[in-house]
């Protein structure tokens, strides 16, 4: 799904690939036409007639140098710009940086960077349709199917023949690319129903489970329509003594085929391949741990939810070949996108007026997407899918790049609230790690010695007395955090703990939630922590930020109290 706003996005053309586009008159006219009603710029070795001179840049050396055009000249960022590129070598970096990206007239068969797939593949004909209607898209099948209120008329299934090579054998597998799965750290996961559905599917949430099975049913039907030769449809097996999460898919199928849930099975509970780096190492981790219950023949369709490295599916395919299959095609619901999250600016989620962030829901009856928030009293607020998406992108337009610079406290700045980290910021808690890991409530204050106290509770009490609101944002779980603060008699106005927001630090979400609950604009909030992630989160939230060691060494909190007391006295004298 494109992450730019459908009405307010700009376009950067990266035309540094093959030069055949220069001879396509309709394409050149299309760029000129777009320049009349869109903010566009293009990088190429040729000026395009009908565009303004200042929109053209001679070929630059790298994607990173082109991003400066986005930030400096287009006054935008990853959330507000669509990249249309004909340079296959540049696609990976554009995506890694978090831009919505289209590969134009690139050879789909040659582009096999699974973890860095562009949002879409366009022909010149697709581009011409886009010029006529900038809402035009060709979403991947699994990103479209099963989510009625985000569907559009065209879909694209991208097949790759003999793409997966099984180590130490001559076996090869076909694989079908259908869509992308974004991890929580990626900004695009926020408004991506497919990613949310897969997370819910893995956690047995009913409506998400239904959405995934409905989508898989549609995908299998589409694949069988293109190629009806499959003799078996089977699935990557669960771990030993576990039930296949795919069971029940037959209720969402529109094809007359038997789904063989039990054909493959796990012999041993093998370790996760994630901890290994190379594909061969990952494969070796799985090798010998998958079995096949009976002989097979012909062309087998092997279905999985998420394709990450391909190690598990490769071993499943090897076993199927050994059991008699003449061909194996792998059909995942989505491919994990392997992003360098440190290269991306972090955009916060959208909160409602009460400071509660929106979560994406899927209706059980038709899997249509919607947004909801839930307050502390258990009351729900429901919103339309498109309206919140639009609000998210409009609210955060240019947001991420404007916040990437340190927002440090100075004496001239006004402080209306202070948000503290908990562990090793207010209190030294290395000796309480067992409690923290178990989310156990600390009932006995004798566990806390004087030397464990970093900031005395009386300091927070005096801060509140002079009008400073106090928040605590911690990555520890709520029961542990609340009981520790209570036992140590720390006064605070609001606590945000682990799982109170979808994402944790260095995402700005927990800090912004706390600021909203404190009813203080983030620019008047001083954020104090002991970890780099604390400071990064504060920067992303547009807050003032200081490390706890600097706060202690400069006696900053005493200075703030003194300054506030002076303001209070001056105001009292003015009133008198």
């Amino acid at each position: 799904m494109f992450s730019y706003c459908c009405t307010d996005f700009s376009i950067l053309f990266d035309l540094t690939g093959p030069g055949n586009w220069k001879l396509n008159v309709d394409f050149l006219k299309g760029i000129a036409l777009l320049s009349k009603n869109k903010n566009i710029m293009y990088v190429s070795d040729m000026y395009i007639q009908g565009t303004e001179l200042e929109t053209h840049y001679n070929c630059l050396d790298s994607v990173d140098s082109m991003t400066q055009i986005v930030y400096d000249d287009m006054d935008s960022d990853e959330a507000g710009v669509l990249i249309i590129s004909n340079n296959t070598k540049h696609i990976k970096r554009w995506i890694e940086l978090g831009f919505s990206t289209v590969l134009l007239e690139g050879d789909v068969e040659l582009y096999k960077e699974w973890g860095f797939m562009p949002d879409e593949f366009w022909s010149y004909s697709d581009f011409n349709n886009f010029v006529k209607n900038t809402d035009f898209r060709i979403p991947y099948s699994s990103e479209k199917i099963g989510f009625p209120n985000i569907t559009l008329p065209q879909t694209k299934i991208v097949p790759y023949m003999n793409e997966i090579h099984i180590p130490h054998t001559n076996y090869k597998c076909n694989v079908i690319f259908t869509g992308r799965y974004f991890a929580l750290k990626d900004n695009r996961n926020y408004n991506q129903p497919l990613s949310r559905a897969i997370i819910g599917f893995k956690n047995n949430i009913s409506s998400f489970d239904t959405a995934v099975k409905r989508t898989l049913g549609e995908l299998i039907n589409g694949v069988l329509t293109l190629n009806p030769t499959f003799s078996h449809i089977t699935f990557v097996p669960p771990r030993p003594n576990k039930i296949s999460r795919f069971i029940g898919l037959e209720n969402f199928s529109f094809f007359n085929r038997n789904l063989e849930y039990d054909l493959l099975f796990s012999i041993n509970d093998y370790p996760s391949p994630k901890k290994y780096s190379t594909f061969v190492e990952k494969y070796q981790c799985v090798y010998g741990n998958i079995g096949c219950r009976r002989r097979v023949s012909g062309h087998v369709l092997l279905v999985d939810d998420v394709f990450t490295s391909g190690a598990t599916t490769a071993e499943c395919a090897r076993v199927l070949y050994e059991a008699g299959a003449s061909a194996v095609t792998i059909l995942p619901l989505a491919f994990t996108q392997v992003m360098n999250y440190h290269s991306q600016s972090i955009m916060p989620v959208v909160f409602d007026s009460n400071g509660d962030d929106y979560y994406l829901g899927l209706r059980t009856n038709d899997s249509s997407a919607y947004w909801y928030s839930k307050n502390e009293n258990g009351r729900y607020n429901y919103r339309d899918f498109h309206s919140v998406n639009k609000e998210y992108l409009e609210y955060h337009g240019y947001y991420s790049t404007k916040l990437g610079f340190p927002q440090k406290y100075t004496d001239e700045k006004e402080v209306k609230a202070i948000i503290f980290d908990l562990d090793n910021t207010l209190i030294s808690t290395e000796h309480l790690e067992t409690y923290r890991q178990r989310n156990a409530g600390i009932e006995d204050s004798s566990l806390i010695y004087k030397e464990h106290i970093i900031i005395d509770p009386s300091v927070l009490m005096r801060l509140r007395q002079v009008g400073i609101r106090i928040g605590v944002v911690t990555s520890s779980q709520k029961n542990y955090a609340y009981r520790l603060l209570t036992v140590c008699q720390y006064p605070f106005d609001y606590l945000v703990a682990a799982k109170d927001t979808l994402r944790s630090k260095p995402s700005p979400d927990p800090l912004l939630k706390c600021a909203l609950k404190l009813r203080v604009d983030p620019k008047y909030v001083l954020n104090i922590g002991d970890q780099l992630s604390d400071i990064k989160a504060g920067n992303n939230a547009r807050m003032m930020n200081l490390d706890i060691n600097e706060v202690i060494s400069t006696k900053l909190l005493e200075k703030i109290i003194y300054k506030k007391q002076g303001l209070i006295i001056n105001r009292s004298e003015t009133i008198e």
Side-chain angles (χ1 to χ4, degrees):
M1 172 179 290
F2 286 172
S3 59
Y4 59 77
C5 178
C6 287
T7 56
D8 268 346
F9 63 93
S10 302
I11 305 171
L12 176 64
F13 290 89
D14 170 12
L15 301 175
T16 58
N20 57 324
W21 59 272
K22 301 173 187 176
L23 304 176
N24 191 311
V25 176
D26 289 340
F27 177 64
L28 298 176
K29 287 181 178 177
I31 293 180
L33 185 60
L34 276 176
S35 70
K36 306 302 180 187
N37 51 41
K38 280 286 181 186
N39 177 25
I40 79 158
M41 291 188 178
Y42 60 97
V43 180
S44 73
D45 59 0
M46 185 186 89
Y47 171 69
I48 299 174
Q49 294 293 328
T51 60
E52 300 292 336
L53 279 173
E54 56 266 27
T55 66
H56 174 240
Y57 293 80
N58 287 323
C59 285
L60 301 175
D61 295 334
S62 67
V63 166
D64 286 26
S65 62
M66 291 185 213
T67 58
Q68 293 307 308
I69 298 174
V70 174
Y71 301 147
D72 299 336
D73 298 340
M74 303 182 84
D75 192 26
S76 190
D77 64 8
E78 303 90 329
V81 171
L82 167 66
I83 305 298
I84 299 178
S85 176
N86 70 339
N87 191 332
T88 304
K89 295 179 181 178
H90 285 177
I91 296 296
K92 177 178 178 179
R93 184 57 178 161
W94 282 122
I95 295 168
E96 186 177 43
L97 290 170
F99 286 91
S100 296
T101 307
V102 170
L103 176 58
L104 178 68
E105 280 295 306
D107 191 333
V108 175
E109 185 62 30
L110 294 177
Y111 193 85
K112 296 169 182 174
E113 290 276 4
W114 300 118
F116 299 90
M117 276 291 184
D119 290 75
E120 293 167 11
F121 295 98
W122 281 1
S123 64
Y124 285 129
S125 176
D126 297 328
F127 174 74
N128 292 336
N129 288 330
F130 172 72
V131 173
K132 297 172 187 175
N133 174 16
T134 52
D135 288 340
F136 172 84
R137 295 176 51 243
I138 308 178
Y140 290 118
S141 294
S142 64
E143 294 177 306
K144 167 191 180 289
I145 294 171
F147 311 109
N149 56 343
I150 64 165
T151 60
L152 288 162
Q154 292 181 281
T155 63
K156 184 172 288 189
I157 292 176
V158 185
Y160 292 90
M161 307 306 293
N162 298 318
E163 176 57 25
I164 304 298
H165 296 249
I166 301 175
H168 314 306
T169 74
N170 293 321
Y171 298 133
K172 296 180 181 179
C173 303
N174 307 326
V175 61
I176 298 175
F177 186 90
T178 58
R180 299 152 305 157
Y181 167 74
F182 297 110
L184 281 177
K185 293 180 181 179
D186 193 290
N187 294 327
R188 286 164 291 190
N189 176 78
Y190 181 73
N191 57 357
Q192 229 287 348
L194 178 62
S195 293
R196 295 299 188 88
I198 290 171
I199 293 171
F201 178 64
K202 291 179 179 294
N203 289 287
N204 299 312
I205 299 174
S206 175
S207 60
F208 290 79
D209 180 85
T210 299
V212 165
K213 289 175 181 175
R214 177 179 283 120
T215 305
L216 273 173
E218 292 276 9
L219 281 176
I220 294 171
N221 185 60
V223 171
L224 290 178
T225 301
L226 293 174
N227 184 355
T229 65
F230 292 102
S231 55
H232 300 269
I233 301 175
T234 191
F235 303 84
V236 172
R239 295 304 178 101
N241 304 315
K242 300 289 184 180
I243 298 173
S244 172
R245 60 168 63 105
F246 297 102
I247 290 176
L249 181 59
E250 67 277 2
N251 298 323
F252 303 94
S253 62
F254 308 99
F255 40 83
N256 187 23
R257 298 295 182 92
N258 182 37
L259 302 179
E260 301 178 62
Y261 298 114
D262 66 339
L263 179 60
L264 298 175
F265 65 96
S266 295
I267 299 171
N268 300 303
D269 192 8
Y270 52 90
S272 173
K274 292 180 181 179
K275 64 181 181 180
Y276 298 97
S277 55
T278 69
F279 174 73
V280 173
E281 288 174 330
K282 292 175 185 291
Y283 177 78
Q284 205 61 40
C285 171
V286 186
Y287 178 79
N289 289 300
I290 304 293
C292 187
R293 286 193 166 88
R294 48 191 176 271
R295 297 292 296 173
V296 297
S297 62
H299 194 170
V300 179
L301 184 65
L302 174 62
V303 181
D304 199 4
D305 52 0
V306 177
F307 183 105
T308 301
S309 68
T312 303
T313 48
E315 175 61 4
C316 290
R318 183 192 69 81
V319 171
L320 289 168
Y321 277 119
E322 297 291 344
S326 59
V328 176
T329 291
I330 298 168
L331 175 66
L333 177 61
F335 287 68
T336 298
Q337 298 302 280
V338 185
M339 301 297 174
N340 178 0
Y341 302 109
H342 299 294
S343 295
Q344 292 186 27
S345 301
I346 300 177
M347 292 193 297
V349 300
V350 171
F351 295 90
D352 64 17
S353 58
N354 192 47
D356 299 306
D357 51 323
Y358 284 108
Y359 291 82
L360 193 149
L362 299 171
R363 295 182 179 87
T364 303
N365 62 333
D366 64 359
S367 298
S368 58
Y370 64 94
W371 294 101
Y372 70 93
S373 60
K374 182 182 179 183
N375 65 22
E376 286 87 348
N377 298 323
R379 294 179 64 87
Y380 287 90
N381 172 37
Y382 297 94
R383 293 282 304 280
D384 172 71
F385 177 78
H386 291 297
S387 64
V388 172
N389 262 20
K390 190 170 185 292
E391 179 182 322
Y392 171 67
L393 294 163
E394 286 186 346
Y395 177 71
H396 299 304
Y398 319 152
Y399 195 91
S400 52
T401 55
K402 301 298 182 186
L403 305 188
F405 305 101
Q407 314 287 322
K408 197 164 184 178
Y409 170 80
T410 63
D411 290 338
E412 296 77 27
K413 293 185 178 180
E414 182 180 2
V415 175
K416 295 183 179 180
I418 300 178
I419 295 178
F420 295 93
D421 181 41
L422 173 57
D423 298 288
N424 303 317
T425 296
L426 289 176
I427 313 168
S428 178
T429 58
E430 285 90 348
H431 65 298
L432 301 176
E433 185 62 20
T434 302
Y435 287 86
R436 195 182 74 83
Q437 293 289 344
R438 290 168 30 219
N439 191 23
I442 296 171
E443 306 293 339
D444 187 358
S445 61
S446 65
L447 291 170
I448 313 297
Y449 300 153
K450 184 176 181 180
E451 56 265 29
H452 294 143
I453 301 298
I454 299 173
I455 298 179
D456 195 272
S458 64
V459 176
L460 272 64
M461 192 173 301
R462 291 166 58 209
L463 284 166
R464 294 180 82 198
Q465 288 172 349
V466 296
I468 302 288
R469 303 277 284 167
I470 301 297
V472 178
V473 173
T474 176
S475 297
S476 297
Q477 296 186 67
K478 180 151 278 182
N479 183 52
Y480 159 84
Y482 181 80
R483 289 304 308 156
L484 180 58
L485 290 166
T486 302
V487 163
C488 294
Q489 298 183 353
Y490 279 99
F492 61 92
D493 295 293
Y494 199 78
L495 165 67
V496 177
K499 300 181 181 179
D500 282 345
T501 54
L502 186 65
R503 300 181 302 181
S504 57
K505 303 173 187 177
S507 161
D509 303 352
L511 289 173
L512 289 174
K513 180 183 180 76
C514 190
L516 283 164
K517 293 293 185 180
L518 295 174
R519 302 297 184 217
V520 176
D521 188 307
K523 69 182 179 181
Y524 297 117
V525 176
L526 173 59
N527 169 53
I528 298 173
D530 68 304
Q531 299 290 322
L532 181 60
S533 61
D534 298 325
I535 305 304
K536 284 185 174 180
N539 287 338
N540 288 322
R542 201 181 294 183
M543 294 177 178
M544 297 173 278
N545 303 283
L546 283 175
D547 182 88
I548 182 60
N549 292 321
E550 185 173 355
V551 171
I552 297 298
S553 64
T554 60
K555 298 182 179 180
L556 178 66
L557 298 180
E558 293 292 337
K559 293 177 182 177
I560 290 175
I561 292 171
Y562 180 78
K563 182 179 177 181
K564 280 286 185 179
Q565 285 175 332
L567 287 174
I568 292 170
I569 292 170
N570 290 337
R571 285 171 185 160
S572 299
E573 291 174 348
T574 302
I575 293 171
E576 290 175 357

